[in-house]
Amino acid sequence: MEGNVKLECVQGDITQQDDLDAIVNAANAELRTGGGVAGAIHRAAGPELEEACRPLAPIKPGEAVISPAFGLPNKKIIHCLGPVFNIDKPSDELLARCFRNALWLADEENLVSVGFPAISTGAFGYPLEEAAEVTADAVHSVISDLDNVTLIRMVLFGDKDLVAFRKAFRMGR
Ligand code: ADP
């Protein structure tokens, strides 16, 4: 707990977080389906998601936009474009902005629980430990601004990802 906000790091699939109001997509600029998280979210949500996203695209690194969740069990999907490591610069600031903007947006929309994947650590090449540190700092920096969000869950796909994020969030194993 940090103030009124519970922080969790779990191993799992971002499309299977039935108890969360919102999940965050590691999106591409066009908000289309793709590999990794974006592919999994679009497959689970169904083709209506791409349709709904079309007028919101393109987005820039660090930006976050929100859509309905369609076939997913959540209320909303927040789409963030992470930086391509060392191409979109400063990569740390752009990655931090994803988390801050997503949490502010969730809060504005009266959502109480939000799940994040490890944005930028897949196809976008951000080294895991560094991304975990930037993410933990960014999340901690906005917690005191949040009026509605009371649960933030990092959903890590792999075992190494879980270890890195638990370390960065100063959680024991
Ligand atoms: P990016 O393009 O922002 O790097 P990716 O989708 O390629 O995004 O990967 C981001 C992270 O999410 C990677 O660590 C990847 O292993 C992980 N990941 C991939 N699929 C899922 C999923 N279904 N649920 C949670 N995490 C996932």
Side-chain angles (χ1 to χ4, degrees):
M1 293 291 285
E2 305 266 336
N4 291 326
V5 180
K6 186 174 188 210
L7 292 172
E8 296 178 349
C9 288
V10 304
Q11 195 168 355
D13 183 328
I14 195 71
T15 65
Q16 314 239 314
Q17 307 301 313
D18 302 19
D19 59 327
L20 298 181
D21 276 358
I23 58 166
V24 175
N25 183 12
N28 48 63
E30 299 303 326
L31 305 177
R32 306 284 294 272
T33 187
V37 170
I41 286 180
H42 278 269
R43 274 195 301 280
E48 284 168 304
L49 181 61
E50 262 196 359
E51 200 66 41
C53 284
R54 199 164 298 144
L56 306 174
I59 62 169
K60 296 194 189 75
E63 234 184 290
V65 295
I66 192 161
S67 76
F70 300 105
L72 277 160
N74 318 95
K75 290 184 189 159
K76 298 280 183 179
I77 302 172
I78 297 172
H79 306 264
C80 286
L81 179 61
V84 178
F85 184 65
N86 268 350
I87 303 282
D88 298 315
K89 294 183 200 178
S91 295
D92 55 351
E93 174 54 26
L94 293 170
L95 184 60
R97 248 181 245 172
C98 284
F99 287 90
R100 293 198 300 258
N101 284 332
L103 287 169
W104 285 328
L105 191 52
D107 206 57
E108 268 170 33
E109 298 272 333
N110 297 319
L111 302 167
V112 303
S113 49
V114 187
F116 285 92
I119 297 173
S120 283
T121 67
F124 285 1
Y126 214 118
L128 192 58
E129 278 77 16
E130 285 176 50
E133 291 294 335
V134 171
T135 298
D137 286 351
V139 168
H140 282 120
S141 75
V142 293
I143 280 181
S144 61
D145 300 343
L146 302 174
D147 295 320
N148 299 306
V149 174
T150 55
L151 173 61
I152 301 170
R153 178 181 300 157
M154 293 299 310
V155 181
L156 292 322
F157 215 31
D159 196 43
K160 277 197 199 132
D161 312 61
L162 180 67
V163 171
F165 276 75
R166 291 193 71 90
K167 180 161 176 262
F169 278 90
R170 315 272 184 266
M171 295 170 179
R173 263 225 91 181

